[in-house]
Amino acid sequence: MLEKKTIRHEILAARRALTPAEAAEKSAAIGASVAALPEFAAASAVLTYVASKDNEVDTQPLIARLLEASRPVLVPATLGKGRMVWSRLESLDELAPATFGVLEPRPEYRRDMPPPAGSVVLVPGLAFTKAGWRIGYGGGYFDRFLAEFAGTRIAVAYALQIVPEMPVEAHDVPMHIIVTESRVYRCPAAG
């Protein structure tokens, strides 16, 4: 079995190799599939990262549609030392690059709040197994949050990010659902 560091390196290289057009096309398909999920449609609020680097699945079109529909959207704001809080977003114009180049609300637009009951979270990552296990970027921000989050965990990833196996550690939290451009996986590891 490959080490997490090796998997991170290989998948990141493959993702960076996508052309902008390929990434946009795949992201649009993923966004449409996410929007069609019953869990997503029924959510009281949507917690989501904002895609900003290395050809991540682009969440911004989906965020824009949610905001247009007046659905609550919360995005992460980092506090350092692997900790983050969620801030209510009212416009994509409120965002600016922050830690690691990640788009976050500018300080004057921070509206920190705990995730409402019945929320779903769109989870970034570098690699996933069909069972629901995830390898992130290594900072632990989402791992710490996911350990406490009671709602539905939905990973968004390109099909090239699905790997047959990965090391699983005690702190790892499995996804409930993984959405790629070609398939939706309901994950057994999440129970």
Side-chain angles (χ1 to χ4, degrees), residues 34-91:
V34 167
L37 292 171
E39 295 89 345
F40 185 84
S44 62
V46 176
L47 285 58
T48 181
Y49 73 98
V50 183
S52 57
K53 63 179 186 172
D54 297 322
N55 269 346
E56 287 180 307
V57 171
D58 189 358
T59 54
Q60 292 188 44
L62 185 59
I63 292 170
R65 287 194 300 275
L66 290 166
L67 292 172
E68 287 171 15
S70 298
R71 289 195 59 196
V73 176
L74 281 68
V75 297
T78 55
L79 301 175
K81 298 182 181 176
R83 296 180 309 119
M84 65 183 186
V85 294
W86 293 91
S87 177
R88 174 98 185 237
L89 187 68
E90 293 185 1
S91 168

Side-chain angles (χ1 to χ4, degrees), residues 1 16 35 38 43 48 56 62 74 77 86 92 99 101 107 112 114 142 144 162 165 167 188 191:
M1 183 180 312
R16 285 177 174 159
T48 181
E56 287 180 307
L62 185 59
L74 281 68
W86 293 91
L92 287 168
T99 308
D112 296 355
F142 264 85
R144 285 177 187 81
I162 304 297
E165 62 181 0

